[in-house]
Amino acid sequence: GGDGPAMIEPTPSTDDVRAVHTIGPVLDCMELSEGLTLEQCDVIRRQLTYVSRYKELVAMVTSDMLLRLLGAAIEVCLPDSASKFCREERSDEIVVLHVGDYNDKLVQPLLQQADKSASMYGVSVREDVITPEDVFTDKLLDYLLTRNVRMVVPIISPQVLHDRYWSTLGYEFCVRNKDLVFPVFVYPEGARDRLLEVLRRRCEDMLELASLEVSMTEDPLSSTKIGLLSTDVMRKASTSVVLNTYRITAEGCTLEEDGVTILFPKGSVQTERTLSLEVEMLPITDKITKAFSAVTPVLTVHQDKDEDFLEPVTVTLPWAWRSGCSSGRTVLMEKRGRGRQWSVLRTVYQET
């Protein structure tokens, strides 16, 4: 028993050696986290075959601490091979990593919104502000290797890519597990291409990860935008969502979840009814924004009774609009049960 972190036992396989054919990134992680010294890693690198390199590595992993560290490094660098190695189960913690840039307009509102819904997603959220004495990517890897957090959300702004926070050595970014890092690219309006150009020179591999983008102006971000960002982060980190269950009575009530509000007026039901809400955010990609003027979350209502409400129920959804588009061409649709047709909903629009 005990309350310590659980260990995930490896799945035996004769392909263990072949699984770490590319061992360089794993050695970089072991050296960075001080599990192995530079001299030890060089001894391994000088072996003539990948089989001998693997055997030398295993021979140096002589303690439980090193075993855990090797498992974490494999999970970070070679995720397809993680099941073949003993590793520690990851915690429920999400770490938002930033340098203080856009702190009031973006970071703190995002942290506050994420904290409100964290329990539903089975995670916890904290921040870490990087100082000039730290290297941004080293700090990120430290959280994944030695602190074993669920996911790191690096806020990548122009300030982050400055030499004060980013190594100029140009070494390879060794994270290949796309479930462990979810970057948010933040830039002044009109500066997107410049940010991505610099990041491509600094750390091109980070551009291969799923990410979010935020264009900043003088105005603060709307609560709708913050809510959309927070839900994207929560869903990326969560392995399962525990849906909240609500009781609807004849007295009526108002429900709020992930930026969605549902108003049940008095008399909307005769007998008590239970339901749960599932709010799913669509990814705001170039393809989506070119095809649609606006995007709302997909709201699924799970009920214990498939009956109409006796009074009109008002659903308020957050919108992500494409600039310059009119709401007059937008249509909301609903579908009830399996096999039924979609129907048009009456809509009212309000700027926020």
Side-chain angles (χ1 to χ4, degrees):
D3 298 324
M7 292 298 291
I8 302 175
E9 295 300 324
T11 303
S13 171
T14 57
D15 295 331
D16 288 356
V17 179
R18 193 174 295 109
V20 289
H21 187 282
T22 307
I23 206 173
V26 176
L27 295 179
D28 290 341
C29 285
M30 296 294 286
E31 179 190 342
L32 176 66
S33 55
E34 299 182 350
L36 297 176
T37 66
L38 174 61
E39 290 74 17
Q40 288 174 310
C41 290
D42 285 343
V43 169
I44 297 172
R45 292 186 180 99
R46 283 197 293 268
Q47 301 303 309
L48 297 180
T49 68
Y50 71 86
V51 175
S52 58
R53 286 191 289 271
Y54 174 81
K55 290 182 178 179
E56 191 70 34
L57 171 62
V58 171
M60 292 184 183
V61 178
T62 56
S63 67
D64 288 342
M65 184 275 290
L66 289 178
L67 189 64
R68 292 168 186 257
L69 198 55
L70 176 60
I74 294 289
E75 186 180 15
V76 167
C77 304
L78 304 171
D80 292 341
S81 304
S83 63
K84 304 178 189 301
F85 295 84
C86 187
R87 65 196 190 282
E88 187 176 309
E89 185 177 14
R90 293 202 167 270
S91 71
D92 63 1
E93 191 173 45
I94 301 172
V95 176
V96 177
L97 211 58
H98 66 101
V99 299
D101 218 7
Y102 300 115
N103 188 56
D104 295 335
K105 288 186 176 182
L106 171 64
V107 179
Q108 294 308 314
L110 177 60
L111 287 166
Q112 292 166 13
Q113 182 61 42
D115 189 59
K116 290 179 182 179
S117 57
S119 60
M120 185 183 74
Y121 289 91
V123 298
S124 61
V125 185
R126 57 162 293 195
E127 67 172 316
D128 190 355
V129 183
I130 302 299
T131 65
E133 290 74 31
D134 298 315
V135 176
F136 198 90
T137 48
D138 288 357
K139 194 75 170 180
L140 184 155
L141 284 170
D142 179 60
Y143 273 108
L144 295 178
L145 296 172
T146 65
R147 309 192 196 192
N148 225 45
V149 300
R150 173 77 62 85
M151 189 174 77
V152 177
V153 180
I155 308 295
I156 306 297
S157 65
Q159 186 76 3
V160 170
L161 300 177
H162 194 278
D163 291 350
R164 287 181 297 172
Y165 302 104
W166 205 279
S167 172
T168 58
L169 298 179
Y171 63 87
E172 181 182 8
F173 183 64
C174 56
V175 177
R176 294 294 179 271
N177 192 327
K178 297 184 178 182
D179 293 330
L180 299 181
V181 180
F182 192 37
V184 179
F185 301 137
V186 189
Y187 43 82
E189 190 174 22
R192 177 182 185 272
D193 291 345
R194 175 58 179 166
L195 176 77
L196 298 185
E197 177 188 346
V198 176
L199 183 60
R200 188 170 287 108
R201 294 201 304 266
R202 295 283 201 195
C203 187
E204 185 174 13
D205 293 323
M206 191 173 286
L207 295 173
E208 301 298 320
L209 302 173
S211 61
L212 299 173
E213 294 189 17
V214 184
S215 177
M216 302 296 295
T217 65
E218 292 297 323
D219 298 324
L221 292 175
S222 68
S223 59
T224 295
K225 180 64 175 177
I226 293 295
L228 291 170
L229 291 170
S230 171
T231 304
D232 280 340
V233 170
M234 292 291 102
R235 287 192 173 275
K236 177 67 175 178
S238 176
T239 54
S240 62
V241 179
V242 180
L243 299 180
N244 294 322
T245 300
Y246 303 95
R247 292 188 307 114
I248 313 301
T249 67
E251 293 301 313
C253 64
T254 300
L255 309 181
E256 295 185 15
E257 192 164 303
D258 284 344
V260 174
T261 303
I262 305 183
L263 171 62
F264 295 91
K266 186 175 181 178
S268 57
V269 297
Q270 283 185 334
T271 58
E272 183 176 299
R273 188 183 305 189
T274 61
L275 57 79
S276 58
L277 310 178
E278 188 171 0
V279 182
E280 183 174 1
M281 301 297 179
L282 294 176
I284 309 301
T285 62
D286 288 342
K287 187 175 181 180
I288 289 289
T289 55
K290 288 177 182 177
F292 300 101
S293 299
V295 178
T296 74
V298 176
L299 172 64
T300 304
V301 179
H302 304 273
Q303 299 188 76
D304 62 345
K305 298 178 181 179
D306 189 13
E307 299 175 0
D308 289 337
F309 292 98
L310 302 178
E311 297 290 339
V313 174
T314 302
V315 179
T316 303
L317 297 170
W319 294 79
W321 291 96
R322 191 173 72 200
S323 61
C325 292
S326 168
S327 62
R329 298 173 55 193
T330 305
V331 177
L332 279 181
M333 307 288 288
E334 78 162 342
K335 184 179 182 181
R336 299 186 185 181
R338 294 187 177 182
R340 297 194 182 184
Q341 297 296 315
W342 288 87
S343 58
V344 178
L345 291 173
R346 183 168 61 87
T347 55
V348 177
Y349 307 96
Q350 181 179 350
E351 294 286 341
T352 59

